[in-house]
Amino acid sequence: MKGRESGMPQEAYWASFFNTEAVIETMLGSTAESGNVVEFGCGYGTFTLAAARRNRGIVTALDIDPEMVATVKQKAQALAMPHIRAELRDFVGHGSGLSTGTQQHAMIFNLLHLEQPVALLQEAHRVLQAGGELSVMHWRSDIPTPRGPSLSIRPTPAQCRAWMTEAGFHSIEEVDLQTSCPFHFGLLAKR
Ligand SMILES: C[S@@+](CC[C@H](N)C(=O)[O-])C[C@H]1O[C@@H](n2cnc3c(N)ncnc32)[C@H](O)[C@@H]1O
C-alpha cells in the first residue's frame, strides 16, 4: 500500500528544496564508502544518485511507483552507475526483499508520515548489519514550509526518535541540516 500523502511534485521543484550532496555528506559521512545502501521510497532518486556518487557498494532504490523506478533506472544507465539497483516494490505490503544484515546504511527521507512507521523502521533495522546506520529526514512542522504532508500527520523529531527506539535503534542524534535543507530536520541512528 502506498503511504498516505507520499506523491511527488514536479522533479525540478522537488530538487529545489535540497542541497542534495550536502545532505548525503551529513547523513552518510560515517558510512564506509564500500558499504551497501538502501533507500526506502526513492522517488526521483534525488538522494539515491548522490549516495551512489559517494558509495561504491550496491545502492538499492525501492519505490512503489513505476514511474519513479523507471526514472531512477534511466538515470543510473545514463550516468553509467551499474551499482544502482532500482526496484519496483511495495515494502509496506511485502518488505524490502533484501537479506537480513546486508546493508551498511538505510535512508528514509520524507516518508515517515506513512501509516505504519514502526513497521518500516523495523524492516530497515532487519536489513542493516550490526553497527549499520539509519538516516531519517523529514519536513519540519515548527516553521512554515512550502511543501510536505499535512501537519496532522507530520512527525516531529521527538516522534521519530520514539519510533526509532521502538524499532530497536540506538545512539539517535539530530543532525544539522540548516544549510543544506532548512525546511527539514534529520536524525541518524545506529543498528
Ligand atoms: C515523498 S516521496 C520521497 C522520495 C525520496 N525519498 C526523496 O526524499 O526525494 C515518497 C516516495 O515513497 C514512495 N512510497 C510510498 N509508499 C510506498 C510503499 N508502500 N512502498 C514503496 N514505496 C513507497 C512514493 O511512491 C514516493 O516516491
Side-chain angles (χ1 to χ4, degrees):
M1 181 186 70
K2 183 167 180 164
R4 58 189 172 184
E5 297 190 37
S6 65
M8 292 290 270
Q10 282 217 319
E11 185 172 2
Y13 177 60
W14 184 253
S16 72
F17 298 123
F18 312 101
N19 179 337
T20 311
E21 305 291 334
V23 171
I24 287 298
E25 204 38 60
T26 301
M27 297 305 210
L28 273 72
S30 52
T31 293
E33 290 182 11
S34 55
N36 294 335
V37 177
V38 56
E39 180 172 17
F40 289 90
C42 60
Y44 295 112
T46 312
F47 298 98
T48 312
L49 270 289
R53 272 191 281 276
R54 181 186 183 279
N55 266 60
R56 298 186 305 277
I58 296 169
V59 178
T60 301
L62 305 175
D63 207 287
I64 199 171
D65 184 332
E67 220 179 293
M68 296 295 146
V69 175
T71 299
V72 176
K73 280 188 176 170
Q74 276 164 15
K75 287 179 183 172
Q77 198 169 10
L79 295 165
M81 289 180 146
H83 62 305
I84 294 179
R85 193 179 139 266
E87 192 188 324
L88 186 63
R89 186 103 196 158
D90 173 3
F91 44 67
V92 170
H94 306 292
S96 65
L98 293 167
S99 300
T100 301
T102 53
Q103 307 298 304
Q104 179 86 42
H105 193 106
M107 305 190 288
I108 304 179
F109 292 177
N110 300 304
L111 187 57
L112 265 194
H113 58 282
L114 85 180
E115 288 84 346
Q116 295 166 307
V118 176
L120 176 55
L121 289 164
Q122 284 168 337
E123 176 62 0
H125 190 271
R126 182 187 70 77
V127 302
L128 282 168
Q129 59 195 67
E133 275 192 317
L134 167 75
S135 54
V136 165
M137 183 177 72
H138 214 308
W139 292 95
R140 290 170 60 177
S141 49
D142 58 330
I143 54 168
T145 58
R147 174 96 199 161
S150 308
L151 286 175
S152 58
I153 60 167
R154 206 184 288 197
T156 61
Q159 180 65 80
C160 292
R161 264 177 191 273
W163 289 334
M164 288 156 84
T165 304
E166 189 179 340
F169 289 96
H170 65 91
S171 307
I172 304 166
E173 286 174 21
E174 191 152 356
V175 294
D176 184 2
L177 298 179
Q178 197 56 42
T179 54
S180 50
C181 49
F183 296 123
H184 287 72
F185 66 87
L187 295 168
L188 273 175
K190 292 269 188 211
R191 154 82 161 85

